[in-house]
Amino acid sequence: MRQSLIIVIFALIPLIAGAEPIKDRPTAAQLASLKNELRRATSPSEKLAAIAKFNASLSERLRTIPLPETAAEKAAFADLNELQTAFDELPQRNLDRESCHESRESLLRLKVPSADSEGTPPISPALQEALVVSQMICR
Amino acid sequence: MRKGRSSAFFIFGVTTIVAATSPWHRVERGGSVALASSQAYSLQDLIPAIEAALGQIERAQRIPDLMAAGPTPPRNDAPVPAIPEPPPVRAEPPPEAADFSTVPPVQELISPPSPEPEAVATDRSLAPERAPRPRPRPHRTPEPVPNSTCSNCSEHVRMRDIRYMECSNRNNYLESELSSMRGRSNILGDLLRRGPRSNGVISGACVRAGLESVFSASATHFASCAAGASRPTSGQRRPCISENYFTLVNNSLDLVSRCMAPYLSSSTSEQQTDIRLLLGLMAQESGLHANARNGSGAAGLGQLVQDSIDAVNRNEMASIRSHLQAQGGDCARLAQDLLTSTPPMRGGTSHACDRISLARGNPALNLIYTFGNLKISKRALERSIFEHRDYRSAFAGLSAEQRNRLRTSIVVWSHNTGVGGMQTPLRALLNSTYRGRRITDVDRFLTELSQAHRDYPHSSFRGRPAVIREKSGYFRAVSSRLRTIETNAGSGSCVNL
């Protein structure tokens, strides 16, 4: 009984935590590594270097990943492109107040128009990741 | 048309009497019917002429139906129609200064535009209805006034017979507001008092054609705002296209386009492309009507939504104000009357009158915000795509003119998709089909981009096939709308820069 419960709980964790936004495993691993580096970074230049390294690896991945064929591969490919779009809006040169403000404005403009002009437009998983990283570097 | 029918009946009656009293018989010959007689009668020679006359009358009666049917709309999976190279720009006098102080122009004859019944249902854009068969409308031709600045009067020739509608109590709800606006001393009052401008940046014939290109007279996708109200009354009919209404729309489009085009692009050729595609965008979004409103809350000429308005207020409004003030003349008056002495436009359903109310400055105000929104999109796409280190080489094989046309097309498209909604499929296309390759054909690329919207939609659109179809087909719809307007206006480019 206890074993069954543990299995069910482990199976439910992804659902509870939210669906995995980055389906491409190498990129998901790079993203996790980036967040660890940002937590350990002690200066703005280290943070910017970590962002630049991630962006470069993401560009390389987009250049070399096999071209998608199935619907699932296309969705994963689209997510990668969406991630690059979002992370391109992070500060590139410095982390002063103005750069962080402009970066945040640019990120918010990536929200797609809501079907209802009164409603809150949805935030994509890629944009959510970029906003989290933006928070980590622009505190 | 009534006279034609009466003549037809008379001739038919005569023919029937004659046929009843003579031993003629009908001969079927290769699908056509001919009358033959077995005896020689004095009226026999008249029969072929009577037949020909009846046939001509019948064909003439069918012409309005054929015109009302309009061109066959493109199928959804058809390639994005090539943006036709605009016909050679008519040799117009150099653009006048933005100061709008010329005497009202001479107006001359054109044929009325045919309504375009193309139905393209969209999420944000309004769903147009099939236009009814046009009826002859009485037209009022203002007294011609000499215009000493007119050196090439071809536009005047086409403006003379702009046909205005007779208003009924179902569609005249804007007339009293327009009449009272004429008496005001602000820029909108001036625009109304000057009469419809000919020789404008956007051809008046195209504006007139655009006003009937999407919605029939009985369509109810419109709203009105009582004095001082912020929430509109929906379900109104398409406004009466009176002389006042046409003058306001025509002159607002002209003035704002003149003033804001340099804000969007620096060269005249770029501005020409910008204005032309923007005309197609506005026609697709609202049929060029100031008070169009859809069920999701988008409203006005550009069907603006809250996010777009907020972005312009936050990021562009100060620059827009400075730009207009620096232009001087009527551009500066736009800034003063619409952007400085009144509060900023607000989004949301409860403030929709900010986007559609004439007294609030629309359609000019809505158009200024639409330009501002396009500027935001253009800047973002320049940085993230056209000048991006990973993608700029893909565009290196295009000429400056091709590159400008492609860029403007994508920017206009992003008015519907949002910058984020455009970037996902666009980057996916560049990173797949165009990996290591250059773009050589703008129209093919736009067709492929339409497919990319279906293959690689933004994650927020996934699982919503109607939304994906709308985003995918938006630019095709804009191009098609623009072609229809230019055709119905008598061909030639709609833009005179």
Side-chain angles (χ1 to χ4, degrees):
Chain A
M1 174 65 179
R2 186 191 285 182
Q3 262 186 339
S4 306
L5 197 58
I6 291 171
I7 291 168
V8 166
I9 289 171
F10 270 95
L12 284 174
I13 284 175
L15 289 174
I16 295 168
E20 176 56 54
I22 308 304
K23 296 177 179 58
D24 181 60
R25 284 175 188 244
T27 304
Q30 292 276 358
L31 187 56
S33 170
L34 167 68
K35 288 176 181 172
N36 285 333
E37 285 184 52
L38 290 176
R39 285 187 199 101
R40 288 196 304 266
T42 55
S43 67
S45 59
E46 282 183 36
K47 293 177 182 178
L48 288 170
I51 300 285
K53 190 174 108 181
F54 176 80
N55 283 346
S57 70
L58 185 51
S59 291
E60 182 62 21
R61 182 64 179 151
L62 280 166
R63 269 196 295 273
T64 57
I65 189 172
L67 293 182
E69 291 177 11
T70 66
E73 289 170 354
K74 287 181 178 176
F77 189 69
D79 284 342
L80 272 189
N81 282 278
E82 212 157 293
L83 193 71
Q84 188 193 46
T85 300
F87 273 69
D88 272 351
E89 300 300 339
L90 292 173
Q92 308 284 327
R93 290 192 178 81
N94 60 61
L95 298 177
D96 59 17
R97 181 185 273 187
E98 186 184 341
S99 302
C100 283
H101 173 74
E102 277 179 19
S103 165
R104 186 161 175 83
E105 287 291 325
S106 298
L107 283 169
L108 291 176
R109 281 198 289 274
L110 292 179
K111 291 188 296 181
V112 296
S114 164
D116 176 356
S117 72
E118 291 269 296
T120 304
I123 295 182
S124 68
L127 180 55
Q128 187 63 41
E129 290 285 357
L131 286 168
V132 165
V133 169
S134 171
Q135 191 85 357
M136 293 174 76
I137 62 176
C138 283
R139 264 194 283 255
Chain B
M1 200 60 72
R2 285 187 192 158
K3 278 177 77 172
R5 283 201 193 114
S6 302
S7 304
F9 283 130
F10 174 76
I11 293 171
F12 181 72
V14 168
T15 308
T16 304
I17 292 168
V18 170
T21 56
S22 51
W24 289 355
H25 55 277
R26 292 161 69 83
V27 174
E28 302 238 5
R29 193 166 53 209
S32 65
V33 176
L35 287 175
S37 68
S38 59
Q39 294 184 19
Y41 277 79
S42 60
L43 289 176
Q44 182 180 356
D45 290 338
L46 292 177
I47 294 303
I50 293 171
E51 271 187 5
L54 282 174
Q56 285 183 354
I57 291 168
E58 185 197 8
R59 280 191 294 277
Q61 286 179 331
R62 285 177 55 226
I63 286 175
D65 289 328
L66 294 172
M67 289 173 73
T72 304
R75 292 195 324 232
N76 221 6
D77 58 352
V80 174
I83 304 171
E85 288 299 321
V89 177
R90 292 187 297 277
E92 297 288 358
E96 298 171 17
D99 190 356
F100 229 152
S101 59
T102 53
V103 174
V106 174
Q107 296 189 336
E108 298 182 28
L109 283 165
I110 61 162
S111 54
S114 303
E116 168 52 55
E118 182 177 329
V120 177
T122 60
D123 255 4
R124 289 182 54 243
S125 300
L126 297 161
E129 299 175 10
R130 187 162 287 273
R133 178 178 162 176
R135 295 178 188 172
R137 302 186 191 107
H139 79 270
R140 294 172 40 220
T141 306
E143 286 297 314
V145 178
N147 182 352
S148 60
T149 66
C150 168
S151 58
N152 180 339
C153 296
S154 59
E155 169 66 5
H156 295 287
V157 170
R158 293 168 66 193
M159 280 284 285
R160 180 192 294 183
D161 198 21
I162 292 284
R163 292 177 185 254
Y164 304 120
M165 297 175 66
E166 271 196 6
C167 300
S168 72
N169 56 9
R170 288 184 170 185
N171 63 11
N172 66 353
Y173 53 90
L174 294 180
E175 291 305 302
S176 60
E177 189 174 7
L178 286 164
S179 295
S180 84
M181 281 169 68
R182 279 179 75 100
R184 293 192 195 137
S185 60
N186 61 12
I187 183 63
L188 297 178
D190 271 358
L191 291 181
L192 279 165
R193 283 190 295 275
R194 292 169 191 170
R197 180 185 174 100
S198 66
N199 206 22
V201 166
I202 299 177
S203 151
C206 287
V207 174
R208 184 64 181 87
L211 286 168
E212 285 192 312
S213 66
V214 176
F215 301 104
S216 68
S218 58
T220 54
H221 301 284
F222 302 91
S224 62
C225 295
S230 56
R231 192 183 282 268
T233 303
S234 297
Q236 301 279 15
R237 289 199 174 213
R238 192 187 75 188
C240 175
I241 305 175
S242 63
E243 183 179 356
N244 271 342
Y245 182 71
F246 173 79
T247 300
L248 180 66
V249 174
N250 182 70
N251 292 1
S252 297
L253 290 176
D254 177 67
L255 179 59
V256 175
S257 297
R258 276 180 197 277
C259 297
M260 292 296 291
Y263 184 74
L264 204 52
S265 298
S266 48
S267 77
T268 305
S269 64
E270 287 177 330
Q271 291 170 23
Q272 180 137 359
T273 304
D274 291 345
I275 292 174
R276 189 164 172 265
L277 288 179
L278 184 54
L279 177 67
L281 180 157
M282 290 186 291
Q284 179 62 20
E285 291 284 348
S286 64
L288 301 185
H289 286 281
N291 62 332
R293 186 164 183 235
N294 79 3
S296 72
L301 198 69
Q303 291 290 284
L304 297 174
V305 295
Q306 177 143 17
D307 274 350
S308 308
I309 296 166
D310 291 346
V312 171
N313 282 336
R314 253 195 335 265
N315 302 299
E316 292 299 316
M317 190 42 66
S319 300
I320 291 173
R321 230 180 259 124
S322 299
H323 167 79
L324 290 174
Q325 283 162 352
Q327 301 257 10
D330 280 346
C331 299
R333 290 184 67 196
L334 274 178
Q336 176 59 36
D337 292 346
L338 303 188
L339 305 181
T340 305
S341 51
T342 53
M345 182 185 280
R346 295 164 295 181
T349 307
S350 54
H351 300 295
C353 282
D354 283 11
R355 286 169 274 164
I356 63 177
S357 161
L358 304 187
R360 187 65 181 83
N362 296 296
L365 182 64
N366 199 295
L367 184 52
I368 291 172
Y369 272 77
T370 302
F371 265 100
N373 197 39
L374 287 178
K375 178 74 172 186
I376 292 171
S377 300
K378 181 175 179 179
R379 196 182 291 123
L381 289 167
E382 279 282 342
R383 191 184 66 246
S384 62
I385 300 291
F386 295 103
E387 298 300 328
H388 192 281
R389 62 183 180 276
D390 290 352
Y391 306 120
R392 71 166 79 100
S393 61
F395 304 95
L398 298 174
S399 68
E401 187 267 331
Q402 288 173 319
R403 197 184 137 87
N404 178 54
R405 187 160 72 91
L406 178 57
R407 179 182 52 211
T408 303
S409 302
I410 292 173
V411 168
V412 162
W413 202 334
S414 72
H415 181 84
N416 174 264
T417 63
V419 169
M422 171 57 69
Q423 290 220 46
T424 300
L426 181 52
R427 286 187 184 226
L429 178 62
L430 291 169
N431 281 320
S432 57
T433 306
Y434 286 90
R435 185 185 283 182
R437 282 179 55 205
R438 288 184 173 185
I439 301 165
T440 56
D441 185 322
V442 170
D443 298 311
R444 180 190 296 167
F445 185 83
L446 290 171
T447 301
E448 290 166 336
L449 183 54
S450 176
Q451 185 61 44
H453 275 278
R454 294 188 222 183
D455 290 338
Y456 310 106
H458 189 277
S459 56
S460 299
F461 301 148
R462 249 170 255 162
R464 298 160 69 187
V467 172
I468 290 174
R469 267 198 309 276
E470 182 214 347
K471 305 303 173 193
S472 167
Y474 183 77
F475 188 71
R476 181 186 301 117
V478 167
S479 301
S480 183
R481 185 74 60 201
L482 183 58
R483 273 206 318 284
T484 300
I485 289 173
E486 287 180 333
T487 300
N488 288 348
S491 72
S493 173
C494 281
V495 179
N496 307 307
L497 264 185

